[in-house]
Amino acid sequence: MTTIESLTLEVADTEAAHRFYTTAFGLDSQLRLRTAQAPASGFRGFTLSLVVSQPADVNAFFDAAIAAGATALKPAAKSLWGYGGVVQAPDGTIWQLASSSKKDTGPATRTFDELVLLLGVEDVSASKRFYGERGLTVAKGFGSKYAEFASGSAPVKLALYKRRGLAKVAGVSPEGSGSHCLAVNGGLGSFTDPDGFVWEDSATAPTLAEITEGMGTK
């Protein structure tokens, strides 16, 4: 199965971003950081999601993110599909914190079940075909509105959503320009998809775990 091994975020301050992601979300090998080279403004066209098992875990991550410097875009609350909230990290990346459950089954934990990359695309059907031709298998889909690809035990799951719809879910305006400030690292090869998202065959930026290890040797 073709998988996403990690994601590279392009940020203005790698040390500050490292502090945020390790403190707020406890991420390590799933994320890589490098200094942004191209400008970006407005909505960057994607969100990242931490999918957890219960509302208490959503609240734990939400509160930790705010305490670490994130901005609340949507407060954590119940919805038709479950429970969730949205924050924007200090580097500008938008994070959804979500659970399909509306009731707690135990004490809050700072653990998550899935890390999901949700790309906002202009044409879900076209993008679904594009990725299907590169070896990805659709696991779940809702016509031309949403598609989710099989990921097995991969560190990151990929899904597609209409750009305007995703911006609405995130609580921001859909307008945006410049760099996505994101590179996807996996086994599909190096290319740029129809919506300008960059895939890299090999990742050179250090993971959060590697940055932490390096800091510990100073």
Side-chain angles (χ1 to χ4, degrees):
M1 180 180 292
T2 303
T3 62
I4 299 177
E5 298 166 0
S6 63
L7 302 169
T8 298
L9 297 180
E10 298 179 348
V11 301
D13 186 332
T14 56
E15 290 188 6
H18 171 266
R19 286 194 300 270
F20 174 80
Y21 287 118
T22 53
T23 300
F25 299 149
L27 296 168
D28 46 52
S29 61
Q30 305 96 331
L31 283 189
R32 298 174 180 267
L33 301 172
R34 67 185 176 207
T35 303
Q37 300 296 322
S41 63
F43 182 45
R44 296 178 183 172
F46 75 94
T47 68
L48 296 176
S49 298
L50 295 183
V51 180
V52 301
S53 62
Q54 60 178 351
D57 301 334
V58 170
N59 293 335
F61 278 121
F62 191 96
D63 293 345
I66 298 302
T71 301
L73 296 180
K74 284 188 174 182
K78 288 183 180 179
S79 67
L80 291 176
W81 51 263
Y83 187 89
V86 185
V87 300
Q88 187 167 32
D91 66 86
T93 304
I94 295 174
W95 289 80
Q96 298 187 58
L97 310 169
S99 172
S100 60
S101 174
K102 298 181 182 181
K103 294 183 178 180
D104 292 325
T105 57
T109 67
R110 292 277 300 281
T111 59
F112 59 90
D113 300 323
E114 291 181 326
L115 171 58
V116 181
L117 168 61
L118 192 49
L119 300 182
V121 301
E122 291 302 321
D123 187 330
V124 171
S125 296
S127 292
K128 185 166 56 176
R129 288 194 299 272
F130 177 86
Y131 283 110
E133 291 169 355
R134 281 155 181 79
L136 294 184
T137 301
V138 175
K140 185 186 300 183
F142 297 98
S144 60
K145 295 182 178 180
Y146 177 83
E148 181 180 295
F149 296 96
S151 60
S153 59
V156 184
K157 175 180 286 187
L158 175 66
L160 309 173
Y161 200 28
K162 291 282 289 186
R163 179 187 170 97
R164 286 189 171 274
L166 182 58
K168 183 177 181 179
V169 169
V172 298
S173 168
E175 282 71 35
S177 62
S179 172
H180 290 298
C181 295
L182 170 76
V184 185
N185 313 309
L188 295 187
S190 299
F191 60 87
T192 300
D193 82 356
D195 293 275
F197 291 101
V198 174
W199 288 65
E200 298 178 348
D201 195 28
S202 60
T204 58
T207 65
L208 298 186
E210 291 167 342
I211 294 173
T212 299
E213 183 178 336
M215 293 171 64
T217 61
K218 293 182 179 180

